[in-house]
Amino acid sequence: MKRGLFILMMVVAAACSKPVMVSDKEPMLIYAMTKSPTTDGASTPVFLFWLENDFENVAEGSYAQPYFVAWPYDDIDAYKDVTYNTGKKYPENDGLVCCTGYFPASLIVDENAQQRSWTRLDVPSEDIGLMDVMVAPEHITGKSSAHFETKNPKEPLEFIHAQSKIVFKAKMGTEMAMNRYLRNVTITVPGSELMSGLKWENGRYIADRTAGEEASVVLKDPSTTQLDPNQKAREIGEVYIYPGKESMKIKVDIEMSDSPLFTEHEIISIEADVDFNLTDSYGSTLRENDAYEIILVINYDSIILKGRKAEWEEGGGLLIPIYPNQTPSPNI
């Protein structure tokens, strides 16, 4: 009896020394959210799940493949309080999974005849400068013994804007006669200022620019109007630019007439390098997730620009005058 008991104890000890196999019956669930509001509401994301070793060794331009790629049907905002169920189980042996992502899902994935490269994503050519692209600046991790959605406190995959947003507005200067009419207010931003896609760098997506001049964005307000100098500036449009810039190039053209029928009119034009003149603690560049507002103050024979740092949605901050080769008016 004693010998049998000793053998049994050895069997139990040997069993306990084997690697622990963690159950992989549960699918991966995650929370996701945006850290700042999207311009046109939410958009459908893409979630990328990488095995830890693969994630740490992805090289730009490579065709390394994620453990799993999820294409949710719902917008990103749907997963702030309700988990997204990937339907994919965690890897065995308690392997760590790193999750990152981007949206919108309409970004173009680089691929060859065999497979996709997830290290390069392109904005569709017709959307360059007009698409609000968001990325996850930090990845989250999960495994069989520590699921993504069970972290305490809750750890969602968070997204920020990959570009800087420029909002253009227009208003009449106080020197403008009330009987002057405007139409075809046109703002051109060259392709050299724009983000053409995303590239993979140090475990995340960042802005990339290979756009040429042909990718320029033209914002145009064709309506005929009289802008009251006593009223708030009217929004002309917005454009998304490559982040990390201290200034940007723009061209402005405006048709102006004394008649609402524009039987006779003139075109007022300027080309300017707009300095952002930022004064916050983050330096002089407009970064990803930052917004800026440029106001065209239109006088009888000139256009003066004013700029200010803004919130992504509502705007705000102190006005910073920008005078492109013109003498500022003391009444503006």
Side-chain angles (χ1 to χ4, degrees):
M1 288 294 293
K2 288 183 180 181
R3 183 173 181 274
L5 179 61
F6 177 71
I7 293 174
L8 178 61
M9 290 177 66
M10 288 186 63
V11 169
V12 172
C16 292
S17 65
K18 293 180 179 180
V20 177
M21 300 294 291
V22 180
S23 171
D24 67 344
K25 293 181 179 179
E26 297 297 325
M28 296 185 295
L29 309 176
I30 67 166
Y31 291 102
M33 62 177 290
T34 56
K35 293 185 70 174
S36 58
T38 53
T39 299
D40 300 314
S43 185
T44 52
V46 176
F47 301 135
L48 297 130
F49 298 84
W50 294 86
L51 297 179
E52 181 182 21
N53 186 63
D54 293 337
F55 182 78
E56 293 177 350
N57 292 284
V58 175
E60 183 179 347
S62 71
Y63 282 84
Q65 296 302 293
Y67 173 64
F68 183 67
V69 180
W71 303 79
Y73 290 106
D74 293 326
D75 290 343
I76 186 71
D77 287 346
Y79 309 115
K80 182 177 181 180
D81 299 310
V82 178
T83 56
Y84 171 69
N85 186 343
T86 67
K88 178 74 172 180
K89 296 177 181 179
Y90 288 92
E92 294 183 347
N93 297 321
D94 210 29
L96 190 70
V97 180
C98 303
C99 178
T100 185
Y102 66 88
F103 71 78
S106 55
L107 291 176
I108 301 169
V109 183
D110 180 34
E111 58 185 320
N112 60 21
Q114 286 77 37
Q115 57 190 342
R116 290 172 163 175
S117 170
W118 293 97
T119 63
R120 172 73 196 181
L121 306 168
D122 289 307
V123 176
S125 58
E126 67 275 12
D127 293 325
I128 291 177
L130 301 174
M131 177 182 283
D132 181 12
V133 177
M134 298 191 80
V135 296
E138 302 288 343
H139 67 276
I140 58 174
T141 60
K143 54 185 177 179
S144 291
S145 61
H147 291 183
F148 286 107
E149 85 283 6
T150 59
K151 299 291 180 66
N152 188 15
K154 185 170 68 176
E155 183 184 45
L157 183 64
E158 296 183 327
F159 290 81
I160 65 170
H161 303 280
Q163 304 164 98
S164 306
K165 183 173 79 167
I166 309 295
V167 179
F168 291 97
K169 297 182 178 181
K171 67 173 297 181
M172 288 288 197
T174 55
E175 295 178 355
M176 176 66 82
M178 290 297 292
N179 62 343
R180 293 286 276 177
Y181 293 86
L182 309 177
R183 74 176 182 186
N184 291 334
V185 178
T186 305
I187 301 167
T188 303
V189 179
S192 58
E193 305 292 344
L194 309 175
M195 181 192 88
S196 59
L198 300 172
K199 64 180 179 180
W200 186 265
E201 188 172 288
N202 296 325
R204 60 160 296 191
Y205 288 112
I206 64 170
D208 189 24
R209 54 175 176 181
T210 55
E213 293 296 321
E214 70 278 2
S216 61
V217 169
V218 178
L219 304 176
K220 190 170 185 177
D221 182 354
S223 59
T224 301
T225 185
Q226 281 182 303
L227 296 177
D228 187 340
N230 298 315
Q231 293 181 346
K232 294 176 62 177
R234 192 178 79 182
E235 187 166 324
I236 302 300
E238 59 195 30
V239 65
Y240 302 96
I241 68 169
Y242 187 84
K245 298 179 66 63
E246 296 183 354
S247 64
M248 68 177 293
K249 299 179 183 296
I250 65 169
K251 184 177 184 293
V252 180
D253 299 285
I254 300 175
E255 292 183 23
M256 195 176 298
S257 176
D258 292 328
S259 166
L261 300 177
F262 281 75
T263 50
E264 294 184 4
H265 70 274
E266 58 185 320
I267 298 177
I268 306 296
S269 300
I270 63 167
E271 292 188 39
D273 285 317
V274 179
D275 293 322
F276 295 132
N277 294 323
L278 302 175
T279 57
D280 59 27
S281 59
Y282 295 103
S284 58
T285 60
L286 201 62
R287 300 154 299 140
E288 60 184 0
N289 215 57
D290 279 348
Y292 198 79
E293 185 176 271
I294 297 175
I295 301 175
L296 317 179
V297 183
I298 304 164
N299 288 307
Y300 191 86
D301 59 356
S302 67
I303 303 169
I304 295 176
L305 305 181
K306 289 186 175 183
R308 63 182 172 189
K309 184 76 177 292
E311 299 298 327
W312 193 268
E313 285 278 296
E314 300 300 331
L318 182 66
L319 280 173
I320 305 169
I322 309 164
Y323 304 113
N325 304 318
Q326 298 182 39
T327 301
S329 166
N331 298 318
I332 297 174

